[in-house]
């Protein structure tokens, strides 16, 4: 009886093979994921709050248009990166991010600290025609954003309610008045509101690093 | 297989188009359906789920019957899988263009499509394992281990990572948030690459390579070790996509160490395959299918070496967020996945239609276009990625940034132009292959009608 014989059993029994694959492949994920669910729950930083109705709609447009395929939202604790984008990211800043939008590619610049760096007006012009303000930009233009109502699906309260169920601390009052809060806003207004909300959390000690 | 070919062209064409958008950004004509953010998602979904999965499903059904010496368990269910999958990918593609996007990389499809995927995947598993259960040979062949792992692990990853609360038909919110979502997503994202684009295609390799080389696998023991080590260690490597991000250090370090360990099983398979071919080197001169498969193997080795290197934190500090990653993905996707699939198709088409390939010359041209396209692509992205990474991090004597972001971005243009050319070269090779197959299949009909024609008839140009 040697290892080859033991393996022959696996090879000749489909059920054992299926179980073996499942068992062996599950270990790594369990070790890495379970602690983040049960042990190391991330607390929001002092300045982190759930998105307002307008910011939430703006964020969902950001997802819809695939902005995160080219823009990261994650400043790494590397010297040059901290100089360029200021404070490094803290896990507590993204506790209300479903899904997370840290990104994997930086064709355009990181946006996690872009809030209030530019005026609302600059952002609006830039989104409708990026080359009007950045001549060499290769970013697509998003002219349709200013033509559409942000809450055209009339579902902003449903979105907030779903997030409330997932534990985001929205009050019932905030949810009922959400539609009124965003009435008349275009998609462009909403996404600008979202971009302006991406700011440095001054409550975090930058020397603390990433987490 | 034909569906897979159609997706390959559509997916690659979308890829070339978005590459062009990065050179001439106004080429989307202000149309949202042609906008980069949506087409890029369509590109990855069409090539991975359209081209990749369809090819894997087709070859799994083909090889499992031959390695088990029985017909498929429920051929009707198998047809359902193939057809329903095409419908799902098509619906998924349209939904992405319409802006239904869950926002997770390689898992962008929204919840209704996710449910369809899960249902079809279960059917795929039933057909595959049902066929294995009624097999006539006792041992289960090694290619089936890999196809089996593909089915099981992808089911697990897809279901967990797609867990979400639906809001409307086109919108849902992930059950996971922030850093936790990041760890779950890259556990999925990395292993979708691992068990689909690596493991699934290794299943293809283990069946079609020995078949075409007419040699048994070089070492049975090595294939056992490689398989289990691969299945065990791949899963751990996901966090290398999150180096220096806001997740715990121990997770990053574990991800890095396991990524480096992963080199061993990856290369064990490569050694096994190369030694198998080395039993029949003369075939490499004449056999197109084998040429493609062996070239794919070379790129497999390259990509699985590059991957662990990029997973080292100090290398990753430069490579992360840059086009180097894009180059790495394409050396795997074009060099490994697409080439081995092409090789397999060159094997399958003449056999399925019981004829000879229409033109060996065209297959040769395709081979060289595929090599040059892939090499040019990878080189341009290496150039772009490494310079991006280094320029971003460059500091002057006084600790100030040496280059502005816009300046660096603008300097990428030559590389991006080169990438468009590379994509066109690769795509034109694939178009030639499809023409070749079309003539092969069309030529078969005339050959059977014209009975007195010599056996070389299909190789003559025929008017179909």
């Amino acid at each position: 009886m040697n290892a080859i014989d033991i393996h022959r059993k696996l090879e000749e029994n489909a059920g054992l093979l299926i179980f073996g694959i499942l068992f062996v492949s599950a270990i790594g994920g369990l070790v890495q994921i379970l602690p983040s669910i049960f042990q190391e729950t991330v607390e929001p930083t002092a300045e982190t709050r759930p998105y307002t109705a307008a910011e939430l709609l703006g964020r969902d447009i950001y997802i819809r248009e695939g902005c995160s395929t080219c823009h990261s939202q994650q400043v790494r604790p590397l010297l040059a990166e901290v100089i360029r984008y200021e404070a490094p990211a803290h896990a507590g800043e993204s506790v209300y991010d479903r899904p997370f939008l840290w990104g994997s590619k930086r064709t355009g610049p990181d946006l996690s600290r872009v809030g209030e760096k530019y005026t609302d007006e600059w952002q609006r012009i830039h989104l409708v025609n990026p080359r009007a303000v950045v001549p060499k930009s290769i970013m697509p233009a998003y002219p349709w954003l200013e033509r559409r109502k942000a809450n055209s699906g009339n579902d902003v309260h449903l979105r907030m309610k779903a997030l409330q169920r997932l534990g985001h601390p929205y009050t019932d009052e905030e949810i009922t008045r959400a539609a009124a809060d965003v009435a008349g806003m275009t998609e462009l207004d909403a996404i600008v509101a979202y971009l302006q909300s991406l700011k440095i959390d001054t409550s975090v000690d930058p020397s603390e690093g990433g987490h | 297989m034909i569906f897979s070919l159609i997706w390959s062209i559509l997916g690659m064409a979308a890829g070339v188009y978005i590459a062009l958008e990065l050179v001439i950004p106004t080429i989307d004509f202000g149309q949202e359906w042609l906008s980069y953010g949506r087409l890029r998602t369509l590109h990855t979904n069409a090539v991975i789920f359209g081209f990749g999965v369809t090819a894997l499903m087709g070859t799994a059904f083909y090889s499992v019957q031959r390695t088990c010496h029985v017909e498929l368990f429920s051929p009707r269910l198998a047809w359902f899988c193939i057809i329903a999958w095409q419908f799902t990918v098509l619906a998924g593609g349209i939904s992405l263009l319409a802006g239904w996007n869950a926002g997770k990389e390689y898992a962008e499809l929204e919840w209704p499509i996710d449910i369809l995927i899960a249902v079809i995947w279960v059917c795929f598993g039933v057909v595959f394992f049902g066929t294995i259960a009624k097999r006539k040979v006792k041992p289960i062949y090694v290619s089936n281990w890999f196809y089996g792992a593909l089915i099981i692990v992808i089911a697990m990853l897809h279901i967990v990572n797609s867990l979400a609360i639906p809001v409307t038909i086109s919108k849902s919110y992930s059950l996971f948030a922030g850093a936790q979502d990041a760890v779950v997503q890259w556990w999925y994202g990395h292993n979708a690459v691992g068990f689909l684009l690596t493991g699934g295609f290794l299943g293809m390799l283990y069946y079609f390579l020995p078949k075409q080389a007419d040699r048994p696998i070089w070492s049975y023991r090595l294939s056992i070790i490689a398989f289990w080590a691969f299945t065990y260690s791949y899963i751990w490597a996901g966090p290398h996509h999150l180096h220096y991000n806001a997740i715990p250090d121990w997770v990053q370090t574990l991800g890095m160490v396991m990524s480096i360990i992963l080199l061993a099983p990856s290369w064990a398979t490569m050694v096994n395959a190369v030694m198998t071919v080395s039993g029949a080197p003369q075939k490499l001169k004449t056999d197109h299918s084998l040429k493609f498969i062996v070239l794919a193997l070379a790129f497999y080795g390259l990509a699985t070496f590059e991957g662990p290197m990029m997973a080292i934190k100090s290398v990753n500090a430069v490579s992360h967020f840059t086009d180097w990653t894009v180059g790495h993905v394409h050396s795997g996707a074009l060099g490994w996945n697409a080439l081995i699939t092409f090789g397999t198709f060159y094997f399958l088409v003449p056999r399925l239609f019981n004829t000879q390939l229409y033109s060996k010359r065209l297959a040769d041209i395709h081979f060289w276009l595929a090599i040059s396209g892939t090499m040019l692509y990878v080189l341009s992205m290496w150039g772009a990625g490494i310079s991006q990474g280094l320029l971003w991090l460059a500091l002057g004597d006084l600790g100030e940034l040496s280059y502005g972001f816009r300046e660096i971005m603008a300097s990428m243009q030559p590389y991006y132009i080169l990438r468009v050319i590379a994509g066109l070269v690769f795509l034109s090779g694939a178009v030639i292959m499809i023409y070749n197959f079309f003539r092969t299949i069309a030529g078969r009909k005339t050959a059977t009608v014209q009975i007195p024609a010599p056996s070389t008839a299909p190789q003559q140009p025929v008017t179909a």
Side-chain angles (χ1 to χ4, degrees), chain B residues 223-242:
Chain B
S223 63
I224 295 177
I225 293 169
F227 175 74
W228 291 104
F230 169 87
T231 308
Y232 174 74
S233 47
Y234 220 113
I235 286 281
W236 297 77
H240 70 218
H241 292 260
L242 296 165

Side-chain angles (χ1 to χ4, degrees), chain B residues 82-102:
Chain B
I82 297 274
I83 304 287
W85 186 259
Q86 307 317 315
F87 168 76
T88 306
V89 176
L90 186 67
I94 293 170
S95 76
L96 289 172
L97 289 182
W100 299 20
N101 186 338

